[in-house]
Amino acid sequence: GAGVSQSPSNKVTEKGKDVELRCDPISGHTALYWYRQSLGQGLEFLIYFQGNSAPDKSGLPSDRFSAERTGGSVSTLTIQRTQQEDSAVYLCASSLAYGNTEAFFGQGTRLTVV
Amino acid sequence: AQSVAQPEDQVNVAEGNPLTVKCTYSVSGNPYLFWYVQYPNRGLQFLLKYITGDNLVKGSYGFEAEFNKSQTSFHLKKPSALVSDSALYFCAVRDKDTGFQKLVFGTGTRLLVSP
């Protein structure tokens, strides 16, 4: 596709339910990032995938959060037993493998836990 | 580990005046540095980057940034602000030398340009 695509754009879920957020990166981009942005705040790094290397999971806030990337393309971020503090915008970005290249962001998924 | 500091939560400037949004960074090696802008209810858009070479980098919408290695800074500037520049600005860094490609962002600075 032309850009990074995230779905759904909005998700309202009940506390305690599991949710899956999807990210389709730009074709050919081997690096993929997930960030979390609370209302009007900064970007909190969650996880980073690069090709076939082991992902950098150092930003995942708890073991309720996990992510996978299938076939080096589409990524899914899963939040189990959602809590109200998980409410935020979840942003996905992708880039080429080289560190000097910029990352391109999707429009995000706004998650609301009620 | 790399980190970015944006010391100002908000910058206020009158339209037509020059603007500066500050950013300092910390990496163990040499940096790749980036600026992004986020308009309300929109995703992040890339503005400019410093890779190597000239310390003054020019980017989109008339913005530029100056890399200063001794001060570990990469401040964003524009000679004449527009009301439409009002947005949230993020500085980001990658460490060029350690092989870690994680892109780390600052906390963001809200720019408010008044008419």
Side-chain angles (χ1 to χ4, degrees):
Chain A
V4 178
S5 178
Q6 291 188 246
S7 60
S9 54
N10 281 284
K11 176 72 176 179
V12 180
T13 189
E14 292 180 352
K15 178 181 174 181
K17 300 284 189 182
D18 297 352
V19 294
E20 286 189 351
L21 312 180
R22 177 186 168 105
C23 174
D24 267 290
I26 292 173
S27 179
H29 282 189
T30 58
L32 187 146
Y33 313 78
W34 283 98
Y35 295 88
R36 178 168 70 175
Q37 185 177 27
S38 300
L39 185 63
Q41 301 302 309
L43 273 72
E44 176 187 6
F45 168 78
L46 297 178
I47 188 169
Y48 162 63
F49 296 90
Q50 173 61 280
N52 295 321
S53 301
D56 179 345
K57 303 180 181 180
S58 60
L60 294 178
S62 77
D63 59 8
R64 296 187 296 106
F65 288 72
S66 63
E68 62 178 20
R69 189 177 185 191
T70 54
S73 182
V74 172
S75 178
T76 302
L77 177 69
T78 301
I79 309 174
Q80 296 178 309
R81 305 181 303 281
T82 52
Q83 304 295 313
Q84 288 186 330
E85 60 263 28
D86 299 334
S87 297
V89 176
Y90 289 82
L91 292 166
C92 176
S94 71
S95 72
L96 293 171
Y98 314 106
N100 60 0
T101 59
E102 58 270 29
F104 293 85
F105 280 79
Q107 293 298 302
T109 293
R110 182 177 298 279
L111 175 66
T112 304
V113 182
V114 297
Chain B
Q2 65 261 51
S3 65
V4 174
Q6 293 182 243
E8 303 153 316
D9 289 337
Q10 182 163 312
V11 169
N12 299 303
V13 64
E15 187 173 36
N17 284 356
L19 69 87
T20 299
V21 182
K22 295 180 180 177
C23 170
T24 58
Y25 66 89
S26 174
V27 294
S28 56
N30 289 295
Y32 293 128
L33 292 156
F34 305 82
W35 275 102
Y36 286 80
V37 60
Q38 186 178 36
Y39 297 102
N41 300 314
R42 302 275 297 276
L44 272 75
Q45 297 177 33
F46 168 74
L47 272 180
L48 51 78
K49 64 182 177 183
Y50 171 79
I51 303 303
T52 188
D54 288 343
N55 290 339
L56 185 64
V57 178
K58 294 187 183 297
S60 306
Y61 312 121
F63 283 93
E64 57 190 28
E66 186 166 14
F67 171 63
N68 187 316
K69 187 172 184 177
S70 63
Q71 297 185 4
T72 62
S73 67
F74 190 55
H75 300 332
L76 181 70
K77 300 181 180 183
K78 187 174 182 182
S80 179
L82 299 173
V83 172
S84 57
D85 292 331
S86 298
L88 191 55
Y89 290 81
F90 291 96
C91 181
V93 67
R94 278 198 190 104
D95 190 328
K96 181 190 301 186
D97 297 333
T98 65
F100 296 123
Q101 298 303 307
K102 184 167 71 178
L103 188 59
V104 174
F105 284 81
T107 51
T109 298
R110 189 168 301 280
L111 174 65
L112 184 59
V113 181
S114 55

